[in-house]
Amino acid sequence: MIPTNLSEVSEFTLLGFSEVSHLHHLLFVVFFSLYILTLMANTVIALIINCDNTLHTPMYFFLTQLSCLDICYLSVIVPKILENLMVGTVGISRTGCAMQMFFFLFFGVAECFLLAAMSFDRYVAICYPLHYTIIMNSRVCKGLVAGTYICGTAVGLVHTVITFNLPFCGLAINHFFCEIQPLLELLCGNTSPSEIQVIVVAVFAIVAPFLLIIYSYIHIISTVLKISSTESQQKAFSTCSSHLLVVTLFYGTASSMYLRPKSSYSASVDKLLSLSYSVVTPLLNPIIYCLRNKEVKGALRKRWRNLNFVWK
């Protein structure tokens, strides 16, 4: 007999990629490689920014925080994926599942609000360049980052506590980690209140910071279009292009995952969406910022030359 209440059980089962069990070894190599590359890329970005005094500006301070969030965000999910691919279907304790959901939401929501803080930084830099250093001082930057972590903690705690106090009629999670939508599939009876809860959280965690980003860029575009010099316009837009690309990648996949009713849920599609924003995006973020940012590329080349000189 399957227990009908989560408090009666001690473990869930993560089905993972059981439908493609013949590809487990190949997928393990792929995910392990992506994990190592992402850790290395984000770590290098954070170290380069911290070691180069010319990059000690608000924009790069936020970029360092983004790299740290991506490392933590990925590390909440990938180890369980690798275990699943190595041994097949795996179990996860009730506490472990709750902790995984909390930290997944914590880091994910914090990243949403951090992207909004980065857009505010670009807004001040372009719309109020003469007051930029005054407005975006160290205290304001640290306050914005602290605010992102507070929002992440609040959403993670509220959602996790509510979800894990609901009755469950199943224990097999058709996913590779304790994701929200697959857990809703296991709830007993009418799940409409839980779906509304997910949508409300998503509106706060995804739509609210996204609206702040849109508001910032409306003013940025309006200001840039008033600049008479085409070269100055291109320079202004180039400082925002990397951020816009990261926002599009992250918010595009996250919104398609959470801002929809449970009736449209598809396990295979949602696994792909989860992989895109939880595994692929953290790898692309440092690549996007490096390839499109002359200052970061210059700092990387400088450090590379210094290393070569030391080794010689």
Side-chain angles (χ1 to χ4, degrees):
M1 179 178 177
I2 298 176
T4 59
N5 194 299
L6 184 59
S7 62
E8 300 174 12
V9 301
S10 60
E11 191 174 75
F12 282 110
T13 300
L14 291 172
L15 299 181
F17 300 96
S18 54
E19 66 273 17
V20 288
S21 56
H22 59 289
L23 296 175
H24 275 194
H25 289 92
L26 174 61
L27 289 174
F28 179 87
V29 173
V30 171
F31 284 117
F32 182 75
S33 301
L34 287 175
Y35 184 48
I36 297 301
L37 283 172
T38 304
L39 291 181
M40 291 175 60
N42 282 286
T43 301
V44 167
I45 288 291
L47 290 175
I48 287 295
I49 291 173
N50 283 316
C51 293
D52 196 314
N53 292 331
T54 62
L55 300 180
H56 289 180
T57 63
M59 183 175 74
Y60 294 110
F61 170 71
F62 291 131
L63 182 54
T64 301
Q65 298 299 316
L66 180 65
S67 294
C68 293
L69 279 177
D70 281 338
I71 289 171
C72 297
Y73 188 61
L74 194 67
S75 297
V76 170
I77 300 168
V78 173
K80 208 65 182 178
I81 295 178
L82 297 177
E83 181 187 354
N84 184 281
L85 293 172
M86 280 292 289
V87 302
T89 300
V90 297
I92 183 169
S93 68
R94 180 180 65 185
T95 302
C97 192
M99 291 290 286
Q100 190 179 53
M101 175 182 280
F102 167 75
F103 283 110
F104 169 75
L105 288 169
F106 169 66
F107 293 122
V109 171
E111 183 156 335
C112 285
F113 281 92
L114 182 64
L115 291 173
M118 293 172 77
S119 71
F120 175 71
D121 171 69
R122 293 298 83 206
Y123 160 72
V124 176
I126 292 174
C127 298
Y128 301 96
L130 299 179
H131 300 91
Y132 178 70
T133 55
I134 299 173
I135 297 174
M136 297 302 295
N137 57 56
S138 177
R139 188 175 64 178
V140 170
C141 292
K142 291 176 181 178
L144 288 171
V145 170
T148 66
Y149 292 138
I150 291 170
C151 291
T153 301
V155 171
L157 277 176
V158 170
H159 197 83
T160 303
V161 169
I162 292 175
T163 301
F164 280 84
N165 277 284
L166 294 171
F168 286 82
C169 291
L171 304 177
I173 303 173
N174 190 13
H175 214 279
F176 46 83
F177 73 103
C178 291
E179 172 67 286
I180 300 166
Q181 292 290 359
L183 279 170
L184 290 181
E185 288 287 299
L186 305 181
L187 292 178
C188 301
N190 181 22
T191 62
S192 295
S194 301
E195 292 181 56
I196 293 172
Q197 169 201 328
V198 171
I199 292 173
V200 170
V201 170
V203 167
F204 172 73
I206 298 175
V207 176
F210 184 69
L211 290 177
L212 291 174
I213 292 171
I214 294 297
Y215 177 82
S216 297
Y217 275 100
I218 287 173
H219 285 276
I220 288 171
I221 292 170
S222 175
T223 301
V224 171
L225 291 177
K226 293 176 183 177
I227 300 174
S228 57
S229 170
T230 303
E231 184 180 347
S232 297
Q233 286 183 346
Q234 291 176 346
K235 185 177 180 181
F237 279 127
S238 68
T239 64
C240 303
S241 58
S242 298
H243 178 258
L244 276 174
L245 190 52
V246 169
V247 166
T248 302
L249 285 171
F250 187 80
Y251 278 92
T253 51
S255 60
S256 62
M257 181 73 181
Y258 295 110
L259 297 179
R260 59 188 175 87
K262 198 186 79 171
S263 57
S264 62
Y265 173 77
S266 169
S268 56
V269 172
D270 283 10
K271 285 179 186 180
L272 289 174
L273 287 173
S274 294
L275 285 173
S276 64
Y277 67 75
S278 62
V279 178
V280 178
T281 302
L283 174 61
L284 293 179
N285 286 351
I287 295 174
I288 291 169
Y289 275 103
C290 281
L291 294 180
R292 301 180 65 88
N293 191 298
K294 293 180 180 179
E295 292 176 317
V296 174
K297 287 192 290 186
L300 282 170
R301 283 193 295 266
K302 179 181 175 182
R303 291 294 160 183
W304 181 254
R305 286 195 299 268
N306 290 342
L307 284 174
N308 285 337
F309 176 78
V310 170
W311 283 108
K312 287 178 180 180

